[in-house]
Amino acid sequence: MDKLLRHTPTEVAERKALSINPAKTCQPIGAMYAALGIHGCLPHSHGSQGCCAYHRSMLTRHYKEPVSAATSSFTEGSSVFGGQSNLLQAINNIFTVYEPDVIAVHTTCLSETIGDDVPQIVDKAKKDGKVPDNKYVVSASTPSYVGSHVTGFANMVRGMIKDFAEPTGKKNGKVNIIPGFVEPSDMEEVKRLAELMKVKTIVMPDTSGVLNGPLTGEFHMFPEGGVTVDELKDSANSRGTLALGEWASAEGARYLDTEYKVPCTVLPLPIGLNNTDRFVDTLRRLGGVSVPETILHERGQLVDLISDYHQYFYGKKVALVGDPDQLIALTEFLVSIDMQPVHIVTGTQGKTFYKRIEEITKDAPFEPNVKEHGDMFLLHQWIKNEPVDLIIGNTYCKYMARDEDIPHIRHGFPIIDRVGHQYFPTVGYRGAIRLLEKIVDALLSRLDRDNPVESFELVY
Amino acid sequence: MATKDKLVNFTNRDLNDLKEELLKKYPPKVARKRAKQFMVNEATDGNPPEIQANVRTIPGIITMRGCTYAGCKGVILGPTRDIVNITHGPIGCGFYSWLTRRNQTKPESNDDWNFMPYAFSTDMSEHDIVFGGEKKLKQAIREAYEIFKPKAIAIFATCPVGLIGDDIHAAAREVKQDLNDKGVDINIFGFSCEGYKGVSQSAGHHIANNQIFSHVVGLDDDAKPAKYSINMLGEYNIGGDAFVIEELLNRCGIEINSTFSGNSTYDQFARAHTADLNCIMCHRSINYVAEMMETKFGIPWIKVNFLGVDSTAKSMRKIAQYFGDKELIEKVEEVIAEEMPAVEMALADIKPRTEGKTAMLFVGGSRAHHYQDLFKEMGMRTLAAGYEFAHRDDYEGRRVLGDIKVDADSRNIEELEVEACPTRFKPRKTEEEKAQLEAEGFEFKGYDGIMSDMSTDSLVIDDLNQYEADELVKRFRPDVFCAGIKEKFGIQKMGIPMKQLHSYDSGGPYAGFKGAVNFYKEIDRLVNSRVWSFMKAPWEKNPELSATFVWENN
């Protein structure tokens, strides 16, 4: 048999130390992605230059967009004597050469291990006059050996709020939305729904327009999009914060709540019917508005599609791998259309993951295999033991999808062999419609391929 | 000079002015340093100007470079399929070096090992950083052995591992000894390739090659090399290049005994010392291995280049000349003659559309040189080029090797002390034979560097950064820009097609004659794609209001 992952045995043996085919990556890339969602911001990686190169490469491959970011370029000397002089020099060079409004510094495993105190170094840079007037340096501590890329996103969001948010004592009437580690298209869709509801929002971070920009013949290191510094400052004066996704967004929202009494609500990512309902309903109450007919119409269209194609969803087994926030929402959506996500693996840590999946699947006619801090090698072994009809996960799933001859829908991070994720949302009712389209397409294309001639059907 | 004025007919004075102008943007210290890495290639009696290379990246300046780990695990060991490569560190490094270089491989049968689609890591947590990760590493090696039963396991150290002092070599030795004692034939070795060592990927290449040389090369004496047996060094089989080269040479009767490291295997490394000639493609990444093999085993080396039709033919002839057999020399001519019609046909079709166009290449440590040959064949001119991680010899030629100052960042990369192996050293050619070949114009151990091949009115820039790249593109508006994935979309936003020469985008192979044809077609597609004409909407190109409405004409 001509297999790509031919050495993966069916028997699952316990592993204590070896991670094989990870279902996560490290904090700094999430921090870099979040920082790109600030207008006029150059992310800066405080560590060796390889980290920055890898993160820029991976983000570029995923978004097919320029990703500018700088690095402290540690060498052996800086690793021994500390990275202060590198960072001071970097801050000076960056403001002189690239002229960003903001530098967002995140740490790496190297600078964390040697114990560099970034806020203190930034403070020194300010005192030394290396930070021009009306320019800012924000920071987040993102050691790679803690959590995952999702944690890094959360920490940078918290960092930008912590360093910017500034209460004026006057409420602005807006709702803060922390959209989670999602695509620029998803952030755009969240904004669109809020606009339809006439709720004024501060979406932070906001990578729409930054990582799905047009080709115009001009390169702007700092494109139009992104949450502005003024908005970030103003986030302390909002009427509430909606954090979408516990893992990626709750930290920042809770900070605003405890520090500045901006009440926070943590919701699942608005993927699928129920989760979008929750989002819209919460936004309605927070914003003190009513839901317009347009949104109800979109909801009805989604319900219509579910009913039209329910026969193809019903009882189909799915394997899921990705980030916890994504998986919790996806699982609920799949269960709601009577599909069976039987194998669910996230690489990110967090014991509450088991609890959330259990709640969602408790009335479903199946018991899923669930693993937090797991890897794709384990997922593959599970699939070998109990095959599925569909795999939903990032590009790396294509190897097992091909080996086991199972349709694969690309979702999550990274997607480096297909396009669309940067333009078409999977959140909101419209996003759910797109997800369903992909699911139906995958399942029916498979039927078209496999059905014998006598049962080959024109109509589905 | 306005930023957006395109430079068309420029003199060296314009180029020097441009350089001065670009440097003005930098803080003075940075400008002084960049001035030495940014050259107009003004040759004086064949001696190119001195360039500063292989020096530290400037913090905060957006570089194209990666790190030592990337050079070691990603570049050198990445294309070897049958070694279980375990990254010892937090998950990121292992994840990012997982299948991202497009190194293809072709196991001989479906039973053969192929671990390239897998990523192995110890996924270190905070606990491991605080209390040490050696125990976890040893456990991980044992688990890898239990599941996969490979013939070799390699360990790669990441930044924090070096800091906390985990001894990966001791861990490797201990588990190896233990398994060997139990009768398991397995080789386990480590690479101290922490990302902060050295100033670029180049340090990682060196660390990787040293360890392969120390732990694997020479282990298999039983190999029976063919009549004309060579090793191909510094060829990484991106997009299938090595397959093309191998097929081409096989047709001539030349066997590739081992490749370092495109489509490579552990067994190939182990028998590398049995070949009769070493051919170097990427001078930067591996020239010292050829040197060491010559000293230790008596295998001479030559520089070859299989990118570009002329270079390919020249390299094939050079190999044939080395072996000196009439039969081989004739066979090589025959194979070249067989390949040429397809090349000529492709060029006849493509050249009218590419002739006179311009290119810039900033990539790798030989690629920016080699690819200029292909562009030349298409009638295209290279305006500017430079390397990401090269040393001075890659620019100025090996004659400057003695003048290169060894600094602290190079000193921490181990230089192996190599001497002739008492049992395996065997001179392939006598001194007389070598002298005879040299008298015929044959060049052993030679490389003249990129500068000698470039025109005197072009720019050579080491460690190009994003600001300079943007400015170069704005001033020259080249027809194609070649670099890596990080540079790709910024350049394209400016309306200039960008070809990745690290990973070839989705294309390749580009080596040999067949590869050249692929490359011609690819560049033709890029520079003539209609998409570059779509960037401005019609109303942006012609903003004046016209007097009539369409319906008034009906």
Side-chain angles (χ1 to χ4, degrees):
Chain A
M1 290 291 283
D2 192 3
K3 303 266 188 191
L4 292 152
L5 299 169
R6 66 179 72 149
H7 307 291
T8 304
T10 306
E11 316 80 63
V12 179
E14 198 204 353
R15 280 177 283 131
K16 289 198 189 101
L18 185 67
S19 163
I20 313 173
N21 300 352
K24 64 162 182 182
T25 182
C26 65
Q27 282 213 51
I29 198 171
M32 189 182 280
Y33 178 56
L36 288 164
I38 305 174
H39 179 72
C41 176
L42 189 76
H44 181 86
S45 167
H46 187 50
S48 327
Q49 67 210 15
C51 306
C52 187
Y54 272 139
H55 302 148
R56 290 178 64 208
S57 297
M58 195 48 93
L59 291 170
T60 303
R61 287 191 177 106
H62 178 83
Y63 296 104
K64 317 286 180 219
E65 286 288 313
V67 174
S68 302
T71 160
S72 294
S73 290
F74 275 42
T75 54
E76 202 151 51
S78 2
S79 307
V80 175
F81 300 111
Q84 171 162 306
S85 76
N86 288 48
L87 186 51
L88 291 174
Q89 201 189 344
I91 289 171
N92 186 36
N93 285 335
I94 291 169
F95 280 127
T96 311
V97 181
Y98 306 106
E99 303 173 30
D101 296 331
V102 183
I103 300 173
V105 183
H106 59 263
T107 56
T108 60
C109 43
L110 177 53
S111 54
E112 283 287 337
T113 308
I114 63 175
D116 273 357
D117 182 349
V118 171
Q120 173 264 317
I121 301 173
V122 170
D123 220 43
K124 182 165 167 47
K126 281 185 201 151
K127 286 187 187 129
D128 292 356
K130 292 198 164 78
V131 182
D133 289 345
N134 296 318
K135 304 266 180 177
Y136 305 89
V137 183
V138 297
S139 67
S141 163
T142 53
S144 322
Y145 41 76
V146 176
S148 73
H149 56 291
V150 183
T151 326
F153 181 92
N155 282 340
M156 181 49 85
V157 171
R158 184 176 179 276
M160 65 178 82
I161 291 171
K162 184 169 172 286
D163 290 353
F164 278 123
E166 215 174 75
T168 58
K170 201 169 151 254
K171 290 281 169 204
N172 60 25
K174 293 179 179 176
V175 174
N176 302 322
I177 299 181
I178 305 179
F181 199 141
V182 293
E183 297 290 332
S185 49
D186 294 323
M187 300 192 188
E188 206 156 12
E189 179 65 7
V190 161
K191 285 196 292 186
R192 188 187 68 92
L193 286 170
E195 266 165 40
L196 282 173
M197 292 169 74
K198 300 200 165 52
V199 178
K200 289 204 175 71
T201 57
I202 297 173
V203 175
M204 52 190 191
D206 179 7
T207 57
S208 64
V210 180
L211 290 166
N212 56 3
L215 180 60
T216 59
E218 281 167 47
F219 168 61
H220 301 284
M221 191 180 274
F222 309 109
E224 289 296 308
V227 62
T228 62
V229 168
D230 287 342
E231 285 177 304
L232 281 169
K233 287 182 177 174
D234 202 21
S235 64
N237 307 307
S238 296
R239 53 201 298 174
T241 305
L242 249 183
L244 305 180
E246 171 73 36
W247 270 257
S249 304
E251 279 268 315
R254 289 196 180 119
Y255 182 86
L256 279 172
D257 199 331
T258 46
E259 288 292 313
Y260 305 121
K261 307 278 175 298
V262 180
C264 82
T265 312
V266 184
L267 290 179
L269 285 178
I271 291 177
L273 183 69
N274 312 83
N275 288 322
T276 307
D277 283 351
R278 281 183 197 116
F279 169 70
V280 170
D281 201 35
T282 313
L283 198 56
R284 174 184 69 89
R285 281 185 283 111
L286 266 178
V289 294
S290 54
V291 180
E293 199 54 40
T294 331
I295 290 182
L296 210 57
H297 184 75
E298 286 175 13
R299 185 183 188 280
Q301 289 176 322
L302 170 61
V303 177
D304 186 56
L305 210 159
I306 297 173
S307 95
D308 288 348
Y309 278 75
H310 185 261
Q311 63 271 33
Y312 299 106
F313 305 137
Y314 183 77
K316 290 289 189 304
K317 289 181 182 175
V318 190
L320 296 178
V321 56
D323 299 346
D325 292 335
Q326 294 278 353
L327 295 185
I328 287 165
L330 268 179
T331 302
E332 180 161 5
F333 183 35
L334 294 177
V335 169
S336 78
I337 61 173
D338 295 309
M339 291 183 85
Q340 302 189 354
V342 291
H343 309 307
I344 306 169
V345 170
T346 182
T348 299
Q349 275 166 295
K351 297 285 178 206
T352 49
F353 186 69
Y354 294 116
K355 208 177 112 222
R356 293 302 314 277
I357 298 293
E358 199 189 311
E359 282 164 12
I360 293 165
T361 54
K362 70 176 187 307
D363 297 325
F366 68 97
E367 215 167 299
N369 295 311
V370 188
K371 179 82 175 143
E372 59 93 45
H373 204 202
D375 56 31
M376 285 169 52
F377 186 77
L378 174 70
L379 180 71
H380 191 183
Q381 292 185 306
W382 279 350
I383 291 172
K384 280 172 179 285
N385 284 289
E386 184 183 355
V388 293
D389 302 291
L390 184 66
I391 298 171
I392 302 181
N394 69 26
T395 286
Y396 283 98
C397 293
K398 72 194 276 183
Y399 286 78
M400 52 186 164
R402 182 180 143 130
D403 276 3
E404 307 305 328
D405 196 17
I406 298 167
H408 166 209
I409 294 175
R410 282 155 183 82
H411 183 88
F413 180 83
I415 297 170
I416 53 182
D417 64 337
R418 293 291 191 275
V419 289
H421 46 281
Q422 59 280 68
Y423 297 121
F424 306 115
T426 54
V427 302
Y429 302 116
R430 284 187 173 180
I433 289 175
R434 174 156 182 267
L435 262 176
L436 286 188
E437 181 216 358
K438 293 185 107 176
I439 294 173
V440 171
D441 202 26
L443 296 173
L444 295 188
S445 298
R446 185 53 187 265
L447 272 185
D448 283 339
R449 195 193 81 181
D450 293 348
N451 267 352
V453 281
E454 63 276 16
S455 51
F456 188 81
E457 303 271 5
L458 179 70
V459 190
Y460 285 119
Chain B
M1 211 184 303
T3 321
K4 279 172 189 165
D5 285 349
K6 178 176 173 172
L7 275 176
V8 187
N9 297 313
F10 50 85
T11 64
N12 282 5
R13 198 170 158 180
D14 294 328
L15 293 178
N16 277 309
D17 289 350
L18 167 70
K19 173 180 166 181
E20 291 310 315
E21 204 185 319
L22 290 187
L23 293 179
K24 269 188 211 149
K25 178 86 179 167
Y26 292 119
K29 248 176 91 179
V30 178
R32 275 201 298 279
K33 187 170 177 191
R34 287 305 294 157
K36 297 179 198 156
Q37 293 172 278
F38 196 121
M39 296 288 136
V40 179
N41 190 36
E42 290 163 302
T44 46
D45 56 49
N47 271 327
E50 183 180 327
I51 190 165
Q52 195 173 65
N54 191 37
V55 290
R56 290 181 187 179
T57 312
I58 304 160
I61 299 297
I62 303 178
T63 174
M64 293 162 66
R65 285 173 171 174
C67 67
T68 304
Y69 166 86
C72 181
K73 197 269 180 181
V75 175
I76 305 292
L77 270 297
T80 303
R81 65 172 168 265
D82 55 357
I83 300 179
V84 167
N85 290 320
I86 302 178
T87 299
H88 185 39
I91 199 68
C93 305
F95 182 88
Y96 304 119
S97 58
W98 181 14
L99 281 173
T100 43
R101 268 183 59 87
R102 294 196 68 235
N103 310 113
Q104 297 184 2
T105 199
K106 197 158 54 189
E108 276 152 36
S109 83
N110 286 326
D111 301 325
D112 280 4
W113 278 291
N114 180 12
F115 299 114
M116 278 167 58
Y118 293 87
F120 306 95
S121 169
T122 52
D123 184 11
M124 288 175 94
S125 67
E126 197 162 22
H127 179 273
D128 307 315
I129 299 293
V130 175
F131 297 103
E134 270 178 52
K135 219 175 124 192
K136 189 173 194 185
L137 173 62
K138 283 186 259 182
Q139 173 70 12
I141 300 171
R142 287 179 204 281
E143 287 175 3
Y145 169 71
E146 280 306 318
I147 299 171
F148 301 102
K149 308 273 188 311
K151 65 176 78 174
I153 296 176
I155 319 300
F156 300 85
T158 58
C159 291
V161 168
L163 292 179
I164 64 172
D166 276 359
D167 189 340
I168 60 162
H169 306 288
R173 266 196 313 273
E174 188 188 314
V175 183
K176 179 183 177 205
Q177 191 60 54
D178 184 37
L179 286 169
N180 289 167
D181 288 348
K182 289 180 181 142
V184 176
D185 181 18
I186 188 170
N187 196 355
I188 305 174
F189 45 95
F191 298 84
S192 291
C193 55
E194 294 88 342
Y196 54 75
K197 280 193 175 169
V199 299
S200 71
Q201 294 95 312
S202 171
H205 307 150
H206 207 143
I207 291 164
N209 286 318
N210 280 353
Q211 292 298 80
I212 292 290
F213 190 79
S214 308
H215 289 272
V216 193
V217 172
L219 289 183
D220 176 11
D221 289 325
D222 298 334
K224 302 239 169 338
K227 191 170 173 195
Y228 313 118
S229 170
I230 65 163
N231 295 325
M232 190 62 70
L233 309 186
E235 206 303 308
Y236 299 103
N237 200 26
I238 312 292
D241 277 351
F243 301 147
V244 173
I245 298 172
E246 191 170 349
E247 190 261 353
L248 198 58
L249 295 181
N250 284 351
R251 266 161 60 201
C252 302
I254 301 161
E255 287 291 325
I256 296 185
N257 174 61
S258 73
T259 54
F260 284 61
S261 36
N263 191 31
S264 56
T265 64
Y266 179 84
D267 292 343
Q268 285 185 20
F269 294 147
R271 68 177 188 231
H273 64 297
T274 61
D276 289 324
L277 176 67
N278 276 328
C279 298
I280 292 191
M281 278 283 281
C282 174
H283 176 260
R284 176 67 266 131
S285 59
I286 203 159
N287 68 79
Y288 35 85
V289 170
E291 284 288 325
M292 291 192 290
M293 290 223 257
E294 177 151 23
T295 310
K296 190 167 179 182
F297 306 114
I299 309 172
W301 71 264
I302 57 172
K303 175 78 179 68
V304 294
N305 174 18
F306 285 89
L307 294 162
V309 164
D310 291 343
S311 308
T312 300
K314 209 171 132 193
S315 298
M316 290 168 71
R317 288 181 178 126
K318 202 167 168 184
I319 296 169
Q321 192 187 355
Y322 169 81
F323 287 106
D325 288 0
K326 189 166 169 279
E327 191 191 356
L328 177 64
I329 291 167
E330 279 169 7
K331 187 67 196 171
V332 162
E333 290 307 326
E334 200 182 304
V335 170
I336 295 171
E338 281 164 19
E339 294 283 332
M340 284 312 288
V343 171
E344 278 154 13
M345 218 166 81
L347 270 182
D349 172 29
I350 283 150
K351 210 169 165 184
R353 292 188 296 275
T354 53
E355 181 98 62
K357 293 205 185 294
T358 54
M360 290 185 181
L361 301 86
F362 292 94
V363 62
S366 272
R367 286 181 196 268
H369 181 186
H370 291 161
Y371 276 89
Q372 293 186 33
D373 294 350
L374 279 159
F375 284 117
K376 228 175 268 168
E377 285 162 8
M378 281 181 276
M380 289 176 68
R381 175 175 170 210
T382 300
L383 301 174
Y387 297 132
E388 194 178 336
F389 47 76
H391 300 198
R392 269 185 65 200
D393 42 320
D394 304 295
Y395 287 102
E396 302 169 59
R398 291 181 67 85
R399 65 183 164 280
V400 301
L401 271 173
D403 310 338
I404 296 177
K405 263 203 329 258
V406 181
D407 58 16
D409 293 316
S410 304
R411 212 165 278 133
N412 64 21
I413 311 303
E414 186 191 19
E415 284 290 338
L416 297 184
E417 291 287 331
V418 179
E419 46 190 48
C421 176
T423 51
R424 299 187 181 91
F425 182 84
K426 183 184 85 183
R428 280 15 185 220
K429 296 266 176 206
T430 63
E431 288 306 319
E432 294 75 50
E433 285 170 331
K434 273 184 160 174
Q436 173 66 33
L437 275 167
E438 277 170 340
E440 291 165 16
F442 191 90
E443 193 184 21
F444 286 103
K445 304 167 73 147
Y447 181 53
D448 290 337
I450 188 175
M451 286 168 132
S452 67
D453 264 359
M454 288 179 67
S455 67
T456 51
D457 53 357
S458 53
L459 289 166
V460 180
I461 309 171
D462 182 58
D463 185 21
L464 185 78
N465 62 56
Q466 187 163 329
Y467 155 69
E468 290 165 6
D470 294 350
E471 292 300 315
L472 284 182
V473 168
K474 282 181 201 160
R475 309 286 177 111
F476 289 99
R477 307 282 310 162
D479 293 289
V480 65
F481 192 96
C482 303
I485 182 70
K486 302 190 294 298
E487 294 74 39
K488 184 173 176 80
F489 297 99
I491 302 291
Q492 290 197 169
K493 287 282 193 230
M494 291 187 267
I496 304 296
M498 184 7 264
K499 177 72 186 167
Q500 288 190 69
L501 286 188
H502 290 290
S503 73
Y504 297 173
D505 294 302
S506 55
Y510 297 139
F513 302 98
K514 289 193 179 66
V517 172
N518 287 341
F519 195 75
Y520 300 155
K521 286 182 181 163
E522 173 70 351
I523 296 303
D524 176 36
R525 177 188 75 74
L526 278 172
V527 301
N528 293 304
S529 165
R530 289 177 219 277
V531 69
W532 310 113
S533 67
F534 299 156
M535 282 170 296
K536 292 284 172 250
W539 55 91
E540 288 178 296
K541 288 179 200 158
N542 189 11
E544 302 88 42
L545 281 177
S546 60
T548 60
F549 292 103
V550 175
W551 56 84
E552 286 176 349
N553 297 330
N554 293 333

